[in-house]
Amino acid sequence: IIKLADKGGIVVMDKIDYEGERLKTLTNKTHYKELDTDPSSEFKSEIMTEVEKLHHHDLITELEIDHLAEGNDTPCFYAMPKIHKYFEKLPPLRPICSGIGSCTVRPSEFVDCFLKHLCSKIPTILRDTTDFIKKIRACSFTDTRNTYLVTKDVESLYPNIDHTEGIDACKIYLEQRKSKTFSTSLLAKLMKLVLKSNVMTFGSRIFHQVKGTAMGTPMAVSYANLFMNWFETNMLNEYEKL
């Protein structure tokens, strides 16, 4: 039962409805591919090859290797109802892949240590509603008659970020770092492994996410924010040329 406090009522989504909507998401062949076998062990082997290279170059310790090597579980796919969105019968679902215990969660956390720091430097990023209000109050509009508040929304952002474009966008910001003890190419390689190694279970079935990033992996928010800043910057630059 989903309570809709702002709409003064409730919507009943039973197990059959919920399972059906989840499966509808996973059968979108643009984003997911059903597999006959679970490739998690193969992905784990690829990740460990890169982790061992870090140790070989004295970039991480034995203890850090053990930390990055944690996780052998295949994540479970679930979804959260978007009750703030318009719907007639059932609310749309936000697909989430619970990465806890998977082979990608620690490398994803490692990469996020670098991406998160870069996100904090984005001038247009908003932490919450209060932060937005503070930024608006700080703005000075000389001609309010010709000033317009415009919003832009991206539909299904996370699953629609192309892997190559997303990584390339992050590389641009990673190259702006003063310290590059961990090279941009090394972090890009780990990002690629995290993105391509995203498999999940749905009951007894196995699915592989082939496009976008999963909501649930630690680096997802920073990765998406950097991509959107790159996209927005290019879009506004093109607009200025008109």
Side-chain angles (χ1 to χ4, degrees):
I1 296 177
I2 304 169
K3 295 183 179 180
L4 303 177
D6 58 332
K7 296 185 180 181
I10 62 171
V11 168
V12 176
M13 176 182 276
D14 61 22
K15 182 178 180 180
I16 294 175
D17 290 331
Y18 178 64
E19 298 292 286
E21 291 300 306
R22 280 202 301 163
L23 186 58
K24 189 186 297 183
T25 298
L26 290 172
T27 50
N28 180 336
K29 294 183 179 180
T30 300
H31 300 108
Y32 303 94
K33 178 181 179 181
E34 186 167 8
L35 305 177
D36 295 326
T37 57
D38 186 350
S40 293
S41 59
E42 297 169 27
F43 290 148
K44 176 67 175 281
S45 178
E46 288 185 64
I47 289 171
M48 288 311 301
T49 297
E50 293 303 313
V51 169
E52 285 162 7
K53 287 180 183 178
L54 295 178
H55 183 251
H56 177 73
H57 292 290
D58 295 325
L59 293 173
I60 60 174
T61 65
E62 289 282 356
L63 182 62
E64 288 167 327
I65 283 184
D66 292 340
H67 182 70
L68 289 168
E70 291 178 1
N72 294 293
D73 298 336
T74 303
C76 175
F77 175 79
Y78 69 100
M80 298 293 290
K82 300 180 183 180
I83 60 173
H84 61 289
K85 298 282 188 178
Y86 172 80
F87 61 92
E88 293 183 354
K89 183 181 178 182
L90 296 172
L93 300 178
R94 175 177 287 110
I96 301 175
C97 181
S98 177
I100 297 173
S102 72
C103 65
T104 62
V105 67
R106 296 307 185 195
S108 186
E109 289 174 344
F110 179 78
V111 171
D112 193 47
C113 289
F114 299 89
L115 300 186
K116 185 164 53 178
H117 176 68
L118 294 170
C119 284
S120 66
K121 297 182 178 182
I122 297 175
T124 56
I125 200 164
L126 297 173
R127 292 191 300 273
D128 49 35
T129 304
T130 302
D131 189 35
F132 171 71
I133 293 171
K134 287 180 179 179
K135 282 184 167 64
I136 287 293
R137 286 176 173 171
C139 292
S140 177
F141 303 106
T142 55
D143 184 3
T144 56
R145 292 174 301 175
N146 294 309
T147 300
Y148 301 92
L149 181 63
V150 179
T151 62
K152 190 175 184 67
D153 187 33
V154 180
E155 184 175 346
S156 301
L157 171 62
Y158 285 69
N160 282 308
I161 302 175
D162 177 79
H163 287 177
T164 300
E165 287 188 348
I167 292 172
D168 284 348
C170 290
K171 284 166 65 176
I172 291 171
Y173 297 103
L174 286 166
E175 277 298 294
Q176 296 173 9
R177 294 173 298 153
K178 291 182 179 179
S179 173
K180 297 188 182 69
T181 303
F182 292 91
S183 70
T184 295
S185 60
L186 184 156
L187 294 171
K189 177 67 175 178
L190 288 175
M191 262 189 283
K192 185 176 181 179
L193 285 173
V194 170
L195 292 170
K196 75 164 244 182
S197 304
N198 189 40
V199 290
M200 61 206 77
T201 60
F202 177 77
S204 59
R205 300 166 71 174
I206 303 291
F207 289 86
H208 181 205
Q209 185 167 351
V210 294
K211 183 178 180 180
T213 180
M215 295 189 74
T217 191
M219 75 172 203
V221 175
S222 301
Y223 172 80
N225 278 330
L226 290 172
F227 171 78
M228 279 307 302
N229 188 64
W230 169 82
F231 179 86
E232 180 185 67
T233 300
N234 288 337
M235 179 184 71
L236 293 175
N237 286 340
E238 289 299 316
Y239 175 77
E240 292 294 331
K241 296 177 183 178
L242 298 178

